[in-house]
Amino acid sequence: MRMILLGPPGAGKGTQAKMLTEKYQIPQISTGDILRQAVKDCTSIGQEAKSYMDRGVLVPDQVVIRVIQDRLGKPDCTRGYILDGFPRTVAQAEALGDTLARMGSTLDHVLSIKVEAEELVRRLSGRRTCRSCGEAYHLLYSAPRKDGVCDKCGAALYQRDDDKEETIKRRLQVYQSETAPLISYYQDRGLLREIAGQGEIGEIFERICRVLEK
Ligand code: AMP
């Protein structure tokens, strides 16, 4: 099963993708995670991406397209994958279409997760991540047992630079102008399904599974 999870930052794409990887045994491919790792490892892609990411704007298309082409060629993608945070522009969607055509492959589903703007800001500003194992927490919805400390591995939690208030606003604006047009792009191709992204995590997951299994 090859699918895209589309939605603004904070819509829960990462959380739902992780649950879907377990259920369907296919990898989650998050360009945000790949780029953050590249920044941490100081690779040339990481160095190129960092200033864009810190400002909450998109990394240039040709950089992420290269990243995704490389990733889709890996053996664990043969049974399918969940694209989380890619594509984010029409140019990226077109490059993805070309890459898949060359591979003799197509997309099965594009799910658009919808959440109101106020809720997105609440979710993003409360988000905390473990520096060591990457486990995700939320100060309101899934707080760690001990303040600032990861339940799983005991390392310190941190707030992503791009989850600070000013940058959050910029990321939401970028989503509206650059990424939201993909909703009609995939609608026109008959692939888009909408998912209400508000409510309990498990409830949203069930909504997604129902759509996938229809
Ligand atoms: P995310 O974790 O998906 O919110 O991504 C964090 C940041 O990585 C974004 O704000 C962008 O700067 C960059 N990024 C991730 N995916 C893409 C993409 N498909 N196109 C351009 N920039 C991206």
Side-chain angles (χ1 to χ4, degrees):
M1 180 167 355
R2 290 174 294 272
M3 71 172 109
I4 295 175
L5 290 186
L6 202 62
K13 300 186 297 295
T15 305
Q16 295 298 331
K18 284 195 176 63
M19 296 165 82
L20 289 165
T21 60
E22 286 194 12
K23 176 159 176 156
Y24 293 102
Q25 296 291 302
I26 49 176
Q28 167 195 14
I29 301 180
S30 153
T31 38
D33 285 350
I34 296 173
L35 293 170
R36 272 185 293 280
Q37 189 61 45
V39 170
K40 222 168 147 186
D41 297 342
C42 280
T43 65
S44 58
I45 283 187
Q47 282 167 359
E48 199 173 345
K50 185 173 179 353
S51 69
Y52 298 98
M53 297 173 77
D54 287 348
R55 280 179 287 138
V57 298
L58 295 184
V59 172
D61 286 335
Q62 68 272 22
V63 176
V64 277
I65 290 168
R66 234 186 309 140
V67 163
I68 214 78
Q69 284 172 338
D70 182 51
R71 184 65 186 86
L72 292 182
K74 299 261 157 71
D76 64 339
C77 291
T78 48
R79 288 187 52 245
Y81 41 77
I82 302 151
L83 292 178
D84 156 16
F86 182 93
R88 259 169 147 110
T89 63
V90 170
Q92 292 178 20
E94 282 173 348
L96 174 65
D98 293 344
T99 305
L100 293 179
R102 272 198 303 277
M103 297 167 88
S105 164
T106 49
L107 287 169
D108 299 306
H109 304 279
V110 179
L111 304 183
S112 162
I113 307 182
K114 304 199 88 174
V115 177
E116 280 169 19
E118 272 174 28
E119 172 68 9
L120 293 173
V121 175
R122 208 169 22 243
R123 288 186 187 180
L124 290 168
S125 52
R127 201 150 84 163
R128 298 292 182 274
T129 312
C130 173
R131 274 204 191 282
S132 175
C133 72
E135 184 72 4
Y137 295 88
H138 194 282
L139 299 184
L140 298 177
Y141 310 121
S142 55
R145 282 194 293 276
K146 190 168 166 211
D147 226 18
V149 178
C150 178
D151 290 350
K152 266 192 160 172
C153 74
L157 303 183
Y158 78 106
Q159 181 177 36
R160 278 168 45 176
D161 281 341
D162 62 352
D163 280 344
K164 301 199 169 135
E165 197 167 328
E166 267 319 294
T167 320
I168 288 174
K169 285 194 189 134
R170 170 110 29 80
R171 288 167 67 205
L172 294 175
Q173 282 162 3
V174 168
Y175 173 80
Q176 278 311 327
S177 61
E178 306 279 333
T179 310
L182 290 180
I183 295 177
S184 52
Y185 179 91
Y186 284 116
Q187 220 155 25
D188 293 347
R189 283 154 184 79
L191 285 168
L192 195 91
R193 303 283 175 276
E194 290 199 338
I195 307 284
Q198 245 139 311
E200 292 289 316
I201 289 173
E203 217 175 276
I204 301 164
F205 183 63
E206 277 172 25
R207 279 178 214 147
I208 292 179
C209 294
R210 273 200 298 276
V211 166
L212 295 179
E213 279 152 27
K214 232 188 227 165

